[in-house]
């Protein structure tokens, strides 16, 4: 499974405000020497910059916000804070118009859903990744894994075959395809040799003979 992209915060430092040196008392005479004119003081006044969080919200455009949310999601996923990671990625998707740019986020979401054992949701999200970017082999690979976990062996093999065909150099995809094909072949063999009406994989019925009399 591809590693999540690391992300590190970079905090902004606020400039220190230095006080003016004290003015010594003036002995007898012109007070104008001791106290500068009001307009001179106004010229030296510098307004304090807004808090970093406020400034960030004002300057951040949609693309930058999407990148930030996506990286935050990856960081949260690496920390096993899966629900928060999914929330960040959902927020990031709201700022994306191009479907192809949504595919990597959908694919990461599907990986996290698999880790949460939400196999059905992982299948649906992985399908969105494939729809958004049909020629991206990682989307098909993750879809194949999700289908395999969900017990849809035949469709899993089909998805993994597409992944391997799109990226023949990916040894990991080729290895997972071989494993899925062996599992699918052994399941069919069990179905043919068993007297039971059903064959289960991961708690799901993958072969049924209810139509046979």
């Amino acid at each position: 499974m591809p590693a999540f992209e690391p992300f590190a915060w970079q905090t902004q430092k606020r400039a220190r405000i230095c006080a003016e040196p004290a003015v010594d008392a003036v002995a007898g005479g012109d007070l104008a020497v001791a106290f500068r004119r009001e307009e001179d003081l106004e010229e030296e006044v510098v307004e304090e910059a807004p808090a970093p969080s406020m400034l960030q919200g004002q300057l951040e455009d949609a693309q930058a916000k999407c990148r930030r949310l996506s990286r935050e999601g990856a960081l949260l996923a690496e920390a096993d804070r899966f629900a928060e990671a999914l929330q960040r990625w959902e927020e990031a998707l709201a700022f994306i118009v191009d479907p192809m740019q949504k595919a990597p986020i959908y694919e990461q979401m599907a990986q996290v859903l698999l880790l949460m054992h939400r196999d059905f949701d992982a299948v649906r999200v992985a399908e969105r990744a494939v729809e958004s970017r049909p020629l991206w082999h990682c989307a098909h690979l993750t879809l194949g894994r999700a289908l395999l976990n969900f017990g849809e062996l035949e469709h899993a093999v089909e998805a993994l075959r597409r992944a391997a065909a799109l990226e023949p150099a990916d040894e990991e995809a080729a290895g997972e395809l071989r494993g899925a094909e062996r599992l699918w072949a052994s399941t069919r063999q069990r179905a043919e040799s068993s007297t039971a009406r059903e064959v289960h994989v991961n708690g799901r019925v993958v072969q049924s003979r209810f139509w046979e009399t």
Side-chain angles (χ1 to χ4, degrees):
M1 182 179 296
F4 292 109
E5 178 186 5
F7 178 73
W9 287 102
Q10 183 176 359
T11 57
Q12 300 182 10
K13 294 184 178 179
R14 297 171 61 179
R16 296 180 58 188
I17 302 175
C18 298
E20 287 289 337
V23 179
D24 293 338
V26 179
D30 192 359
L31 292 178
V33 177
F35 299 99
R36 286 180 289 176
R37 294 181 306 167
E38 183 180 354
E39 52 267 30
D40 291 339
L41 293 174
E42 290 178 351
E43 291 177 358
E44 295 184 3
V45 173
V46 178
E47 293 185 2
E48 185 180 355
S53 58
M54 294 176 57
L55 185 62
Q56 185 178 13
Q58 293 170 0
L59 300 180
E60 204 173 34
D61 60 12
Q63 186 175 5
K65 184 171 290 188
C66 174
R67 285 197 301 268
R68 176 177 63 80
L69 291 169
S70 180
R71 290 175 181 175
E72 286 181 19
L75 180 65
L76 289 166
E78 287 180 342
D80 295 338
R81 295 165 61 179
F82 299 137
E84 295 173 79
L86 291 173
Q87 182 179 358
R88 291 294 194 282
W89 285 326
E90 286 284 0
E91 294 173 3
L93 288 170
F95 295 96
I96 302 177
V97 178
D98 185 359
M100 291 188 65
Q101 294 181 6
K102 294 183 178 182
I105 295 181
Y106 282 136
E107 193 269 340
Q108 286 184 311
M109 291 176 68
Q111 290 188 52
V112 166
L113 289 167
L114 284 174
L115 292 174
M116 297 173 72
H117 306 291
R118 293 170 55 181
D119 299 329
F120 176 71
D121 293 329
V123 170
R124 298 192 63 177
V125 175
E127 287 175 342
R128 292 183 184 178
V130 170
E131 293 170 0
S132 301
R133 197 169 171 182
L135 299 181
W136 188 34
H137 88 286
C138 289
H140 293 280
L141 178 59
T142 300
L143 175 59
R145 290 169 174 167
L147 289 166
L148 197 62
N149 278 19
F150 192 55
E152 294 285 350
L153 300 187
E154 185 175 7
H155 293 154
V157 169
E158 292 174 358
L160 292 171
R161 283 174 179 169
R162 286 193 292 270
L166 288 169
E167 191 60 54
D170 190 338
E171 297 181 0
E172 182 180 9
E176 293 196 33
L177 172 60
R178 289 192 294 270
E181 287 177 333
R182 285 195 297 269
L183 180 59
W184 177 229
S186 65
T187 300
R188 286 183 297 176
Q189 185 177 6
R190 283 167 51 198
E192 292 170 358
S193 59
S194 175
T195 58
R197 286 185 174 272
E198 297 178 347
V199 176
H200 295 78
V201 173
N202 290 347
R204 284 182 52 80
V205 178
V206 296
Q207 287 286 336
S208 177
R209 292 197 180 88
F210 280 123
W211 62 87
E212 295 182 3
T213 56

